């Protein structure tokens, strides 16, 4: 039956694309790269991606989740390029192949797509990376937002007695403005880390200046939607057991990240949790005296000059957190939430308040200016 369906597609003129992916990383890299290439065309497209070494159950999981994603207007309003796509498993699972289709763009959509792609040629990779390193040196190193990063080039320092070897930070860059290509670049970074030992590649900082460019609410919503699907598909295949993510944006606002009052993968804990975290961390005075505006300054630890994703190895994250790092956080009114990083986030909140909004914003503006 599977071979007969493939022959039917071949007669129809549909390209049959063989892929030798044999693990989650290469599967997703190949899939999203194919989707990006198809989506780059204005007319309707159809292709069949054959993955004989990937379980059909994994293909079904993707197709089913992608179908659900397209019904979620909260995300799709900010991921318009995905609306053209449909993805299904050939013959409802009779064999390991995905059929990927796109609808033709309307004249208006063609013009919009061209306008969206226009900034891609304006980014200077060297300047983008320099600006990001300036932010990391300023916030992550000097303000000690991460106590185990002592320079912009080496991470996981000081964890040797917990079995973690320090290694270089890999700076990666893509000028893309497209969600599918972002996913492709991200999954290729995952493949690179899976194929590299800790001592040769400790973590990756992925610069994506074309995603959510600017500091408007619309730009932030685009950033939030794109990084949410990055984490969504990593978690779909349990990649979060191997990798941690940290998301950055120049207008980062935790109160605009879904869910606002719940934990969100790759993001700061909700601002509404900070008073309880400060109290649990032994900072009763600060928990009582800090204003809401002062607590909001915690956002600056994620306000980098452009959209970026830090990809970390979970053995580093777990070693840094230490044993029993997940605790029951009492948020009051009978609400208890599981939380981690109490010491880190409490300390960072205090440091951001001590730095002051004017100094934090001025330094961020200087980092952003480096990119011009």
């Amino acid at each position: 039956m599977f071979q007969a369906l493939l022959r039917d597609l071949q007669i129809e003129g549909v390209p049959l694309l063989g892929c030798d992916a044999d693990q989650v990383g290469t599967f997703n890299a190949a899939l999203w790269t194919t989707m990006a290439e198809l989506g780059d065309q204005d007319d309707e497209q159809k292709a069949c991606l054959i993955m004989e070494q990937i379980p059909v159950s994994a293909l079904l999981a993707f197709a089913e989740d992608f179908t659900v994603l397209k019904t979620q207007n909260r995300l799709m309003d900010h991921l318009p390029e995905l609306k053209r796509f449909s993805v299904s498993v050939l013959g409802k699972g009779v064999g390991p192949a995905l059929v990927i289709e796109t609808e033709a763009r309307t004249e208006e959509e063609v013009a919009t797509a061209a306008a969206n792609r226009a900034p891609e040629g304006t980014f200077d990779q060297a300047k983008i990376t320099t600006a990001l390193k300036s932010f990391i040196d300023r916030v992550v190193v000097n303000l000690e937002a991460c106590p185990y990063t002592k320079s912009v080039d080496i991470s996981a320092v000081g964890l040797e007695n917990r079995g973690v070897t320090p290694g270089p930070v890999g700076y990666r860059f893509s000028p893309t403005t497209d969600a599918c290509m972002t996913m492709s670049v991200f999954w290729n970074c995952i493949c690179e880390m899976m194929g590299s030992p800790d001592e040769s590649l400790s973590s990756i900082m992925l610069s994506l200046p074309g995603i959510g460019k600017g500091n408007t609410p619309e730009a932030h919503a685009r950033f939030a939607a794109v990084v949410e699907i990055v984490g969504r598909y990593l978690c779909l295949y349990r990649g979060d057991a191997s990798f941690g993510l940290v998301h950055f944006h120049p207008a980062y606002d935790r109160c605009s990240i879904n869910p606002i009052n719940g934990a969100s993968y790759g993001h700061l804990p909700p601002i509404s949790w900070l008073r309880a975290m400060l109290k649990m961390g032994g900072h009763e005075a600060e928990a009582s005296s800090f204003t809401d505006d002062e607590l909001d300054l915690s956002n600056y630890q994620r306000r980098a000059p452009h959209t970026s994703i830090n990809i970390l190895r979970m053995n580093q994250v777990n070693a840094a957190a230490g044993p029993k790092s997940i605790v029951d956080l009492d948020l009051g009114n009978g609400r208890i939430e599981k939380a981690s990083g109490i010491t880190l986030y409490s300390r960072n909140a205090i440091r951001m308040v001590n730095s002051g909004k004017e100094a934090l914003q001025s330094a961020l503006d200087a980092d952003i200016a480096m990119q011009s």
Side-chain angles (χ1 to χ4, degrees), residues 201-275:
L201 184 61
S202 178
S203 66
I204 282 179
M205 285 296 307
L206 174 58
S207 289
L208 298 163
I211 298 299
K213 183 177 183 291
N215 57 11
T216 65
E218 293 78 13
H220 188 274
R222 169 69 169 174
F223 146 77
V226 171
V227 299
E228 183 171 335
I229 64 168
V230 165
R232 177 181 183 136
Y233 286 101
L234 184 65
C235 293
L236 180 65
Y237 294 103
R238 301 180 182 175
D240 54 324
S242 299
F243 298 100
L245 304 179
V246 183
H247 301 308
F248 302 88
H249 185 268
Y252 188 93
D253 179 10
R254 183 57 181 86
C255 291
S256 297
I257 299 295
N258 187 71
I260 294 172
N261 293 310
S264 184
Y265 183 52
H267 290 285
L268 290 174
I271 299 296
S272 61
W273 291 15
L274 284 181
R275 292 190 193 280

Side-chain angles (χ1 to χ4, degrees), residues 138-139 143 290-291 293-301 303 347-365:
R138 175 172 61 84
V139 174
L143 287 180
F290 282 172
T291 66
D293 286 344
E294 285 176 322
L295 291 178
D296 283 342
L297 296 179
S298 283
N299 285 310
Y300 277 94
Q301 61 192 290
R303 288 185 180 170
R347 186 185 61 215
N348 286 352
I350 293 169
R351 285 178 174 159
M352 295 300 134
V353 172
N354 289 340
S355 295
K357 182 174 183 177
E358 184 176 346
L360 290 168
Q361 185 60 48
S362 177
L364 174 59
D365 290 341

Side-chain angles (χ1 to χ4, degrees), residues 103-185:
E103 298 175 352
R105 288 190 174 104
T106 64
E107 288 187 11
E108 182 180 355
E109 289 170 341
V110 169
T112 299
N116 289 341
R117 285 193 296 266
E120 294 182 358
T122 67
F123 301 118
D124 184 314
Q125 182 175 352
K127 289 181 179 179
I128 292 293
T129 302
T130 296
L132 182 59
K133 286 186 174 183
S134 176
F135 163 78
I136 294 171
D137 183 62
R138 175 172 61 84
V139 174
V140 182
V141 177
N142 290 322
L143 287 180
E144 297 184 333
C146 175
Y148 299 104
T149 300
K150 304 300 183 184
S151 80
V152 298
D153 296 313
I154 303 292
S155 65
V157 175
L159 295 171
E160 294 87 342
N161 63 345
R162 300 182 191 179
V164 176
T165 303
V169 178
Y171 288 86
R172 305 293 181 261
F173 164 87
S174 174
T176 188
T177 56
D178 178 66
C180 290
M181 183 54 72
T182 296
M183 296 292 285
S184 168
V185 172

Side-chain angles (χ1 to χ4, degrees), residues 37-76:
E37 291 172 348
L38 295 177
D40 198 42
Q41 307 300 313
D42 291 330
D43 54 349
E44 64 180 29
Q45 298 287 317
K46 185 175 182 179
C48 179
L49 191 59
I50 304 167
M51 298 186 168
E52 295 183 351
Q53 299 183 71
I54 299 297
V56 171
S57 59
L59 306 184
L60 286 167
F62 179 88
E64 290 168 3
D65 188 82
F66 190 79
T67 300
V68 171
L69 172 64
K70 290 186 63 180
T71 69
Q72 297 174 324
N73 293 334
R74 175 183 65 80
L75 289 168
M76 294 303 292

Side-chain angles (χ1 to χ4, degrees), residues 62-99:
F62 179 88
E64 290 168 3
D65 188 82
F66 190 79
T67 300
V68 171
L69 172 64
K70 290 186 63 180
T71 69
Q72 297 174 324
N73 293 334
R74 175 183 65 80
L75 289 168
M76 294 303 292
D77 285 348
H78 305 289
L79 300 168
E81 62 269 67
L82 298 187
K83 293 179 181 179
R84 298 174 61 211
F85 283 88
S86 63
V87 181
S88 60
V89 180
L90 184 63
K92 298 183 179 179
V94 298
L98 288 171
V99 177

